[in-house]
Amino acid sequence: PSALKQKKRWTEAEKYSSCCSLTGLMAGMANPGLFCRGDGMGGAGAYKGVYPVVPTPLKPDESLDRDGLRHLVDYYVTEGCHGLLVLGSGGESPYFSIDEKFSIVKTVAQKVKKRIPVVVGCAFFSLADILAFIKRVDAIPFDAYLVALPAYYPLRYDDVYAFYSRVTGATGKHV
């Protein structure tokens, strides 16, 4: 596409990206040490500021637009965002395969180069899928996972605790 059409697409993606505060991001905020593991970034309190939910730009054939994604990352970093959330709560996550999600995470991490924290959304319908995703992407240099409980299942506190215990046991990154 022409540069003008490309810029229009990026502008539309920027327009529809949402910003969120990570004040309530981490599971177990009442006890921040409960589910937060990592590399000394300071626990849950280290995630402060504006972390936009980065929309994943697609080409007309619905494949990943890596150039568009890199442009968005540069835009958010240049504009002073404190971190980024990819594959977050924008509703797009179920439409990507594991391979596509891997590519999205890798592209963002390579472009960010640890300049700001990157949080990766991890929403699946089973614990097994969540653990498989973590195993696949964990070596990519990003900072934390945003893990949602599988939907539609009534859970007791013990179930939630066991779920997040399994997730945090699968990674050294913050959850």
Side-chain angles (χ1 to χ4, degrees):
S2 71
L4 183 58
K5 285 182 181 176
Q6 188 70 25
K7 178 59 182 162
K8 184 176 189 299
R9 236 179 41 233
W10 287 332
T11 303
E12 287 300 305
E14 292 162 6
K15 177 178 160 184
Y16 291 108
S17 67
S18 60
C19 290
C20 64
S21 165
L22 290 190
T23 304
L25 170 71
M26 300 300 186
M29 284 303 285
N31 183 358
L34 184 62
F35 294 121
C36 298
R37 296 188 178 191
D39 55 5
M41 283 186 60
Y47 295 94
K48 295 181 180 176
V50 175
Y51 283 58
V53 178
V54 180
T56 305
L58 302 176
K59 295 178 183 176
D61 67 357
E62 296 188 1
S63 64
L64 176 61
D65 181 352
R66 286 181 184 80
D67 289 337
L69 185 55
R70 289 181 193 106
H71 171 81
L72 286 173
V73 168
D74 276 341
Y75 172 80
Y76 291 128
V77 171
T78 300
E79 291 301 314
C81 291
H82 301 93
L84 299 176
L85 174 58
V86 295
L87 298 173
S89 57
E92 63 189 19
S93 188
Y95 300 103
F96 294 115
S97 69
I98 294 285
D99 289 340
E100 290 169 323
K101 289 179 182 186
F102 178 85
S103 184
I104 291 164
V105 174
K106 187 175 178 181
T107 300
V108 170
Q110 287 174 339
K111 190 64 178 173
V112 168
K113 297 179 186 169
K114 299 298 259 179
R115 293 177 288 171
I116 58 175
V118 173
V119 178
V120 174
C122 190
F124 293 89
F125 290 107
S126 74
L127 178 59
D129 288 342
I130 291 169
L131 297 176
F133 177 72
I134 288 172
K135 183 176 182 180
R136 177 82 194 274
V137 302
D138 211 48
I140 298 171
F142 61 89
D143 303 284
Y145 291 100
L146 172 65
V147 180
L149 286 165
Y152 308 113
Y153 298 106
L155 300 171
R156 298 169 304 153
Y157 175 79
D158 292 344
D159 298 328
V160 174
Y161 185 89
F163 172 85
Y164 282 108
S165 293
R166 292 277 310 273
V167 171
T168 58
T171 183
K173 297 181 192 287
H174 292 197
V175 173

